[in-house]
Amino acid sequence: MTNPNGHYGSQGAQSGSIGGSESTAQYGPPAGAQANTGAPPHHGEGSPLPPAPARGPRRSPVQAPDSGRPPSGPGQPNSAPTRIVSPDGERVREKPAGGVSGYFAIVGAIALLLAAVLMGIIGFVMSFAQVAVGVVLFIVAVLCFIASMFLFRGCTSVAPGHAVVLQLYGKYVGTVRQSGLRFVNPFYTKDQISTRIRNHETSTLKVNDLDGNPIEIGAVVVWQVRDTAQAMFEVDDFEEFVAIQAETAVRHIANSYAYDSSDPRRMSLRDNADEITSRLSDEVAARVMAAGVTVIESRITQLAYAPEIARAMLQRQQATAVVAARQLIVEGAVGMVETAIEEIEGRQIVRLGQSERSDLVSNLMIVLCGDQAAQPTISTTRNQQSAG
């Protein structure tokens, strides 16, 4: 019993732009605000004191601003998606560190390496001849070799769809996103992170819906690393973090809605697939924002009742379908009977009394609403009475 709706996808909320400079959360009081210390504000000399506030009904000290969101109705969560924030504050943000082209460094390193080999051989030979120049050439060869190794170490290759995070003795320096061979400081520590679009498919989760019925649900989350610095330093393992938070969001969404609802004003997992997947994208995006990850799309791939109640729920659905079909059949039969009586009396085919009309309505309803084909019978009682 999977979801009959063929389309589950919805565009996820974008959690920021690359670089993260615009998505930095501002903490503390807004600009121009003063902390409430319990003491009256200070006024300079000669400045008039503020007028006493008018007495009236007391208001709550904190009023939530109108966010423009529609009020939550039945079957809708009352709170916004939970956003996970680092206790120390989100302080690490990605910054570019492009470096220079690494092809010149490679050519210089090869040239220094060849020169070091050549001067090393010449210096080694001349040192046996007890010439002071040979020792100098040998030392210069060693220095050239060390310089070539530094140039080789500073070269790093960046594949398309990848980024290299640079650190200098534990301090974040920047991120190289430009693909190709790049040259950076040889003392930098280089960690490569994939920025390609990835899929994460949750396992089949067994949870209870809003009505307490056990259901099986699974989802696919399409995500991408937006901020490499956050992904590297804000969480321990961003891939595992995304996997766990995606399953948590799926469980929360499944607990917030009923699998099926007869009330059209109440959202359900089966009937409101597009709205549910949109809320799922918002929920996952808010949870993985701390890891510098943006959610592109999410969709529910599996939705069914748990096996222990699937048979009972199937019988309930079948009974509901039978009742709806019978109601439609009865409405159609009543209309057909009404039309038949009006046609008979309008054309003056026969005059029907009250008892005859009741018999005709009863017979027509039995014929039209019956499951099996009716077997007609011919009554001769009236003809015999009229003949007698």
Side-chain angles (χ1 to χ4, degrees):
M1 293 171 55
T2 58
N3 197 320
N5 296 331
H7 181 266
Y8 293 98
S10 63
Q11 289 296 329
Q14 298 293 337
S15 60
S17 59
I18 296 176
S21 59
E22 298 181 359
S23 61
T24 305
Q26 300 293 336
Y27 296 91
Q34 296 179 355
N36 185 9
T37 60
H42 176 71
H43 297 274
E45 291 187 25
S47 59
L49 294 176
R55 296 185 178 271
R58 299 183 62 183
R59 297 183 179 180
S60 175
V62 179
Q63 294 183 355
D66 187 9
S67 59
R69 296 175 63 89
S72 57
Q76 299 181 5
N78 297 325
S79 60
T82 303
R83 180 183 176 186
I84 299 177
V85 182
S86 174
D88 298 333
E90 301 177 1
R91 58 189 184 277
V92 182
R93 289 294 181 273
E94 179 181 325
K95 55 184 178 181
V100 297
S101 177
Y103 296 102
F104 299 102
I106 286 291
V107 173
I110 294 175
L112 287 175
L113 184 60
L114 294 177
V117 172
L118 181 60
M119 286 188 294
I121 294 174
I122 296 174
F124 184 76
V125 172
M126 294 180 68
S127 62
F128 276 100
Q130 297 182 355
V131 180
V133 180
V135 179
V136 175
L137 288 177
F138 189 80
I139 295 175
V140 174
V142 173
L143 295 177
C144 290
F145 178 78
I146 295 175
S148 65
M149 291 298 102
F150 270 98
L151 290 178
F152 278 122
R153 179 177 172 80
C155 294
T156 179
S157 59
V158 183
H162 290 77
V164 176
V165 179
L166 304 177
Q167 300 180 61
L168 180 61
Y169 302 117
K171 180 181 179 181
Y172 172 66
V173 176
T175 301
V176 180
R177 284 184 174 266
Q178 185 176 357
S179 60
L181 185 63
R182 312 297 297 173
F183 177 77
V184 296
N185 191 333
F187 293 99
Y188 286 166
T189 302
K190 299 176 282 292
D191 297 304
Q192 195 171 55
I193 294 180
S194 174
T195 58
R196 297 174 180 175
I197 299 176
R198 311 188 196 186
N199 287 328
H200 172 72
E201 183 176 5
T202 64
S203 58
T204 301
L205 306 176
K206 186 176 180 181
V207 296
N208 293 332
D209 65 353
L210 185 62
D211 295 335
N213 299 321
I215 62 174
E216 293 182 349
I217 186 171
V220 169
V221 178
V222 184
W223 60 281
Q224 184 181 22
V225 174
R226 170 186 53 84
D227 193 307
T228 56
Q230 283 186 272
M232 190 72 183
F233 303 111
E234 290 289 337
V235 295
D236 188 18
D237 186 349
F238 67 92
E239 294 182 357
E240 183 181 2
F241 183 81
V242 171
I244 294 176
Q245 295 303 322
E247 292 189 2
T248 304
V250 171
R251 290 181 180 274
H252 181 260
I253 290 296
N255 293 332
S256 302
Y257 300 94
Y259 177 86
D260 193 5
S261 177
S262 58
D263 188 359
R265 298 174 300 174
R266 184 184 181 189
M267 294 180 62
S268 62
L269 297 173
R270 191 186 69 167
D271 298 332
N272 303 96
D274 294 338
E275 293 83 354
I276 298 300
T277 50
S278 177
R279 294 179 182 271
L280 176 61
S281 298
D282 297 339
E283 181 82 14
V284 178
R287 290 180 175 271
V288 301
M289 187 180 297
V293 173
T294 178
V295 175
I296 300 175
E297 183 185 6
S298 65
R299 63 183 64 185
I300 298 176
T301 56
Q302 182 178 359
L303 182 63
Y305 281 112
E308 56 266 23
I309 65 166
R311 184 178 183 86
M313 292 301 173
L314 179 60
Q315 293 177 353
R316 189 184 72 173
Q317 292 178 357
Q318 290 176 348
T320 303
V322 169
V323 170
R326 288 293 182 184
Q327 183 177 2
L328 183 62
I329 291 174
V330 169
E331 292 177 357
V334 170
M336 295 173 65
V337 170
E338 183 179 3
T339 303
I341 294 177
E342 290 179 354
E343 291 290 335
I344 291 175
E345 293 181 348
R347 297 181 182 182
Q348 297 181 356
I349 297 176
V350 65
R351 294 182 179 179
L352 298 176
Q354 187 65 28
S355 59
E356 295 173 346
R357 183 178 297 182
S358 300
D359 294 340
L360 180 60
V361 170
S362 177
N363 293 333
L364 288 177
M365 290 296 295
I366 292 174
V367 171
L368 295 176
C369 297
D371 292 335
Q372 300 178 356
Q375 297 179 358
T377 57
I378 299 176
S379 177
T380 59
T381 305
R382 180 172 299 179
N383 297 332
Q384 292 176 359
Q385 291 178 356
S386 61

